[in-house]
Amino acid sequence: MVNNTLAQIRQNKKQQFFIEIGVIIAILILFVIILPLIVSPFRLQLLGRFLALAIVGLGIDLIWGYTGLLSLGHGIFFALGGYAFMMHVKLQIPSGELPEFFNLYGVTELPFFWQPFHSFPFTFIAIFIIPAIVAGLLGYLVFRNRIKGVYFSILTQAALIVFYNFFNGQQKLINGTNGLKVDKETLFGFLISAPSTQVVFYQFTIIFLLLSYLLCRWLTSGRFGKLLIAIRDDENRVRFSGYDPTWFKVLVFAVSGAIAGISGALYTVQTAIITPSIMEVAFSIEMVIWVAVGGRATLLGAIIGTLLVRLGQSFLSEQFPDIWLFFQGALFLIVVTILPNGIVGWWHNWAWIKLKSIFGLNPPLITYPSLEKNPEESP
């Protein structure tokens, strides 16, 4: 009986794996081949931004869904990646010149921390390394003191406010509240604002979204993934088992920060501007809402939730500009009260089982199948 049960579990996992692969292939075909042919350049660019935001959704799901760390300050790492890339773009000017905003504040020499961003290889690495380092340091200071739960969320939000105010006050260094904006700058000789260049950014966004998904899937599979879930469910028992959860949480928080940095860079280059407003509290809370709508600890749910919420916001704001926020609030209330496990969780836990029962395919039993087949064996 035990062997049959184990075989059944393996078969279920194999089926889920193939279903997941099929869904990924279908999504890639839709976004890479079909949509570029049928939507306008403006809509495609808008979709590219939403796909970039889905990357940070994966990072949130990695630490919240699997590790139980509810971060309300991921806007820090998102902004750091965006600023890193935009600083490189702003330096694509003739040698000896400075970005135009420096002249407004009487700055005659490029600040020292801008110098390395002349190099694209350095910038590419800095996009995810700098957010990862900041996240790792912040995580270490918090986790070594065994701070968790709501206190961790409050601390991340407090750190977000600190970074927001700091960036707002740096007028001479990064243009403060005005931020960094791309007008006529080029990258590798191509005008960034050109539609053809934006299509390339759209394609790169899909590639990095897929790579981020595969990284998160790899991290959440096997023993490391089980350990993350164990930390989420009962950290004290993990500690008593001989593991130190601190370093595992620091690592996964740093990885999540790096993913957010990549997301920020791709989003920024498609919006052509980065300002400290990206570190406002509301935006970081919205990242968590995307994951909640799609479904925690599912990864695919983070992507689906981000796209649905952002597309819904875009549609409702266009059709009902005065009252669209009420629709958004109603959506979140529905998710919290009716779909507490998100859309993907609802599909797995109820809709898929109901669909199979309609077609006469009873859901497979995970334990003691003989009790169901022969009631006389039940105690």
Side-chain angles (χ1 to χ4, degrees):
M1 183 186 300
V2 175
N3 291 334
N4 292 336
T5 302
L6 292 175
Q8 204 169 59
I9 292 175
R10 293 193 192 97
Q11 186 171 357
N12 291 342
K13 289 184 177 180
K14 188 180 293 185
Q15 289 177 350
Q16 291 177 358
F17 173 77
F18 284 116
I19 291 174
E20 189 173 355
I21 293 296
V23 171
I24 292 173
I25 293 175
I27 291 175
L28 286 175
I29 292 175
L30 174 64
F31 285 98
V32 176
I33 300 176
I34 299 177
L35 288 179
L37 297 176
I38 61 177
V39 301
S40 65
F42 170 75
R43 296 294 178 186
L44 193 67
Q45 184 177 359
L46 201 63
L47 184 59
R49 299 175 190 175
F50 299 161
L51 290 172
L53 293 176
I55 298 177
V56 73
L58 286 172
I60 293 289
D61 197 19
L62 180 64
I63 60 169
W64 182 37
Y66 285 91
T67 321
L69 305 173
L70 178 57
S71 171
L72 298 180
H74 252 53
I76 297 172
F77 319 122
F78 186 88
L80 288 175
Y83 268 98
F85 198 14
M86 195 58 72
M87 287 167 68
H88 173 74
V89 173
K90 294 295 289 184
L91 291 176
Q92 303 308 300
I93 52 180
S95 179
E97 294 186 10
L98 296 177
E100 71 285 350
F101 74 88
F102 282 125
N103 298 325
L104 301 176
Y105 309 111
V107 178
T108 58
E109 185 176 352
L110 191 68
F112 72 94
F113 66 91
W114 276 75
Q115 298 287 350
F117 289 96
H118 277 110
S119 168
F120 179 78
F122 174 86
T123 302
F124 180 78
I125 296 174
I127 284 171
F128 58 89
I129 287 297
I130 292 177
I133 292 174
V134 173
L137 290 175
L138 177 62
Y140 175 72
L141 294 174
V142 173
F143 300 139
R144 74 169 184 168
N145 294 308
R146 301 189 182 183
I147 297 174
K148 56 185 179 180
V150 65
Y151 300 104
F152 170 75
S153 302
I154 292 173
L155 281 174
T156 55
Q157 191 169 92
L160 178 69
I161 295 173
V162 170
F163 272 82
Y164 171 72
N165 289 323
F166 175 77
F167 275 64
N168 259 330
Q170 302 306 312
Q171 294 292 134
K172 292 184 178 181
L173 300 179
I174 51 175
N175 207 21
T177 56
N178 297 318
L180 305 178
K181 184 178 180 181
V182 175
D183 291 320
K184 299 180 181 180
E185 284 78 2
T186 61
L187 187 64
F188 299 118
F190 297 97
L191 185 65
I192 288 182
S193 58
S196 58
T197 308
Q198 289 296 319
V199 171
V200 174
F201 289 139
Y202 170 83
Q203 294 169 344
F204 271 106
T205 301
I206 295 176
I207 292 172
F208 278 101
L209 176 59
L210 178 60
L211 292 176
S212 300
Y213 175 83
L214 293 176
L215 173 63
C216 292
R217 175 56 69 202
W218 176 66
L219 289 173
T220 55
S221 302
R223 294 182 179 181
F224 186 78
K226 291 178 181 178
L227 183 59
L228 295 181
I229 294 174
I231 292 173
R232 179 195 67 188
D233 294 341
D234 197 337
E235 184 175 336
N236 289 330
R237 181 168 293 184
V238 173
R239 198 181 303 275
F240 294 150
S241 299
Y243 294 95
D244 184 3
T246 299
W247 292 108
F248 291 99
K249 293 196 290 185
V250 169
L251 174 61
V252 76
F253 195 58
V255 171
S256 179
I259 292 174
I262 295 171
S263 173
L266 292 169
Y267 180 80
T268 298
V269 80
Q270 293 180 87
T271 55
I273 188 173
I274 179 75
T275 67
S277 63
I278 209 72
M279 288 183 281
E280 290 180 348
V281 172
F283 185 60
S284 290
I285 294 177
E286 189 178 345
M287 295 177 185
V288 176
I289 293 174
W290 303 335
V291 178
V293 170
R296 289 175 56 191
T298 59
L299 295 184
L300 273 178
I303 299 174
I304 294 172
T306 303
L307 293 178
L308 285 180
V309 172
R310 298 298 294 190
L311 287 170
Q313 287 177 342
S314 178
F315 173 78
L316 292 173
S317 62
E318 292 176 3
Q319 300 297 322
F320 310 98
D322 296 328
I323 60 172
W324 73 274
L325 284 174
F326 292 99
F327 290 100
Q328 178 175 294
L331 171 64
F332 297 151
L333 287 175
I334 291 172
V335 170
V336 171
T337 56
I338 301 178
L339 304 175
N341 296 320
I343 295 173
V344 174
W346 165 80
W347 172 261
H348 282 309
N349 299 333
W350 188 85
W352 177 240
I353 296 175
K354 190 72 173 177
L355 186 64
K356 289 198 295 185
S357 65
I358 292 175
F359 290 97
L361 302 173
N362 294 323
L365 299 169
I366 297 178
T367 58
Y368 303 107
S370 59
L371 295 180
E372 184 72 17
K373 295 178 180 178
N374 187 4
E376 294 179 1
E377 294 185 12
S378 59

